[in-house]
């Protein structure tokens, strides 16, 4: 009888072990399915991010080209502005009274520290006018 009870108990334990294995196998199968879905989602997200990176890189390159174009146009505009300033200065000098050019030159000589005699000689000014300019602009 004891052998029969023991064999029944052994059989119960074996059945319980098989049932436990089946339950664990089902849980493992569900986990594998979930894992597979998560991997697919991650793959889609990665692909989407790679596409976005490529789009941003392209946009960045296009923006860099546009910035270079604007910088080039700005440089050209500055060059044209400088040329126009020079032309206007030349025109102003041509339109000025010829005597005023001597005075302008004399003032520059005073600023450079020229002597009275140098100013008189270079600008063809009389002594009184040269002294006046020298005294006025030295202060």
């Amino acid at each position: 009888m004891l052998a029969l009870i023991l064999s029944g108990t052994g059989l119960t334990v074996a059945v319980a072990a098989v049932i436990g294995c089946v339950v664990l196998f089902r849980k493992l199968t569900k986990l594998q399915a979930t894992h597979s879905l998560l991997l697919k989602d991650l793959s889609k997200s990665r692909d989407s991010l790679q596409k976005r990176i490529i789009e941003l890189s392209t946009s960045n390159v296009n923006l860099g080209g546009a910035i270079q174009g604007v910088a080039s146009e700005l440089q050209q505009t500055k060059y044209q502005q400088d040329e126009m300033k020079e032309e206007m200065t030349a025109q102003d000098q041509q339109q000025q009274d010829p005597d005023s050019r001597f005075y302008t030159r004399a003032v520059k000589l005073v600023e450079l520290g020229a002597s009275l005699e140098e100013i008189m000689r270079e600008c063809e000014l009389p002594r009184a006018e040269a002294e006046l300019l020298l005294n006025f602009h030295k202060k």
Side-chain angles (χ1 to χ4, degrees):
M1 176 91 161
L2 185 59
L4 191 58
I5 293 176
L6 284 178
S7 68
T9 306
L11 184 60
T12 305
V13 169
V15 169
V18 169
I19 292 173
C21 285
V22 169
V23 169
L24 285 175
F25 179 74
R26 285 185 180 170
K27 285 184 179 181
L28 180 62
T29 303
K30 285 182 181 179
L31 284 174
Q32 285 176 337
T34 303
H35 182 259
S36 178
L37 288 174
L38 287 173
L39 282 176
K40 285 180 185 178
D41 285 346
L42 284 174
S43 180
K44 286 179 184 178
S45 295
R46 183 196 66 223
D47 292 345
S48 175
L49 287 173
Q50 283 177 338
K51 286 179 185 177
R52 185 67 180 136
I53 287 170
I54 290 169
E55 289 171 1
L56 290 173
S57 295
T58 303
S59 295
N60 193 19
V61 167
N62 292 339
L63 184 60
I67 289 172
Q68 286 178 340
V70 169
S72 176
E73 288 179 25
L74 182 61
Q75 184 66 27
Q76 186 177 7
T77 302
K78 185 181 180 322
Y79 177 74
Q80 290 172 344
Q81 183 183 19
D82 290 343
E83 283 182 340
M84 292 174 94
K85 279 183 183 178
E86 288 177 15
E87 287 176 17
M88 290 175 65
T89 302
Q91 287 175 356
D92 285 348
Q93 288 177 352
Q94 288 174 355
Q95 293 173 356
Q96 281 182 354
D97 177 22
D99 291 335
S100 69
R101 279 190 259 159
F102 291 120
Y103 290 114
T104 303
R105 172 103 172 106
V107 169
K108 287 181 183 177
L109 287 172
V110 169
E111 290 171 353
L112 293 173
S115 69
L116 180 63
E117 286 74 25
E118 287 175 311
I119 296 169
M120 289 171 47
R121 183 179 63 248
E122 292 291 324
C123 301
E124 301 175 12
L125 292 176
R127 178 176 286 279
E129 289 181 19
E131 286 176 349
L132 182 64
L133 279 171
L134 191 63
N135 289 331
F136 184 75
H137 288 284
K138 265 195 168 180
K139 294 179 183 181

